Amino acid sequence: MDPYLNYLQQRWDEGQHSAKILHEELRTKGYLGHYQRVKMAVAPLRRGLPLDEPRERPPSPRETARWITTHPGRRSPHINDRLPRLLDHCPELRHTHDLVRRFASMLDNRDATPLPSWLDDLANIGLAPLAGLAGALREDRHAVAQGITTPYNSGVNEGRITDVKLQKRLMAGRAGVPLLRHRFAHLRRHYADRPTAPPR
């Protein structure tokens, strides 16, 4: 952000106070950072204070989980910049990240051969929740191995079940069984018209 602070100050003095527009302008100048960084940078100016290097807000647990589970090739430059620094500050999180990427590699390659050693590492990481997960997966290891190696998955069925649940919630207390049956029939026709995708 440092190379762009003078430009932010100049544009602010010219009357441009929209962080969104300022972020778009900086991107045309080569800035690869996130919108939130620009918003934090101009926050002191809104309070009549001098412009300063913004301090990053630490990511929430949900954000961190999303960063870790996202394939490295699909992460934004902003995440690729922040995630390594976050992992450097938390060794347990780094171990968790490595385990997640190893499991993702098994899924990508449809190879369950490393599963036993992966389960051992998961159990011995020293974190009780992950050790409990390792125990549960070990009990169903044959099903887990099958899920890793097969090209088919239950995603379509899970999606249909979610649709049914959402329809029930949308009409809770406001409609009877006939309308519910009608809406499910509409969903059935909707899915029947969609092209069938090959297994992944």
Side-chain angles (χ1 to χ4, degrees):
M1 177 62 73
D2 283 344
Y4 305 98
L5 293 180
N6 289 336
Y7 179 81
L8 284 179
Q9 183 69 63
Q10 174 191 339
R11 294 293 288 130
W12 186 272
D13 294 340
E14 291 172 354
Q16 181 51 261
H17 297 169
S18 169
K20 182 177 181 180
I21 294 177
L22 290 172
H23 178 248
E24 293 172 356
E25 292 179 3
L26 290 184
R27 286 179 64 86
T28 64
K29 293 181 172 294
Y31 177 65
L32 299 177
H34 196 266
Y35 158 74
Q36 290 293 337
R37 293 275 291 171
V38 179
K39 185 177 179 181
M40 288 187 291
V42 299
L45 296 176
R46 298 187 188 282
R47 301 192 298 270
L49 301 174
L51 191 64
D52 195 6
E53 172 67 14
R55 291 177 296 178
E56 289 182 317
R57 175 183 60 83
S60 68
R62 178 174 293 183
E63 284 178 309
T64 303
R66 186 173 67 249
W67 292 359
I68 289 175
T69 55
T70 300
H71 189 281
R74 298 179 61 186
R75 295 172 185 158
S76 68
H78 170 69
I79 296 175
N80 285 329
D81 175 58
R82 293 192 64 187
L83 183 58
R85 290 185 277 130
L86 179 65
L87 299 180
D88 287 341
H89 282 84
C90 183
E92 293 85 357
L93 200 57
R94 176 172 291 282
H95 294 322
T96 303
H97 172 267
D98 294 342
L99 287 167
V100 169
R101 298 317 324 154
R102 284 170 54 192
F103 189 81
S105 178
M106 285 189 275
L107 290 174
D108 291 339
N109 299 322
R110 293 183 190 159
D111 181 14
T113 306
L115 183 62
S117 62
W118 183 84
L119 287 172
D120 291 338
D121 293 342
L122 187 66
N124 298 326
I125 193 175
L127 299 174
L130 295 184
L133 175 63
L137 292 178
R138 203 183 298 277
E139 291 179 2
D140 294 328
R141 61 186 179 280
H142 298 298
V144 175
Q146 181 70 15
I148 291 173
T149 56
T150 183
Y152 301 97
N153 62 68
S154 61
V156 175
N157 290 335
E158 295 294 338
R160 300 283 181 90
I161 292 170
T162 300
D163 285 336
V164 171
K165 291 179 178 177
L166 289 175
Q167 293 298 326
K168 288 173 63 179
R169 289 173 186 166
L170 285 172
M171 299 187 301
R174 295 192 294 269
V177 174
L179 179 58
L180 188 61
R181 185 182 295 115
H182 174 75
R183 296 192 72 162
F184 288 160
H186 173 73
L187 280 175
R188 219 171 20 245
R189 287 194 300 272
H190 170 72
Y191 281 110
D193 294 339
R194 296 173 68 179
T196 303
R200 292 185 296 140

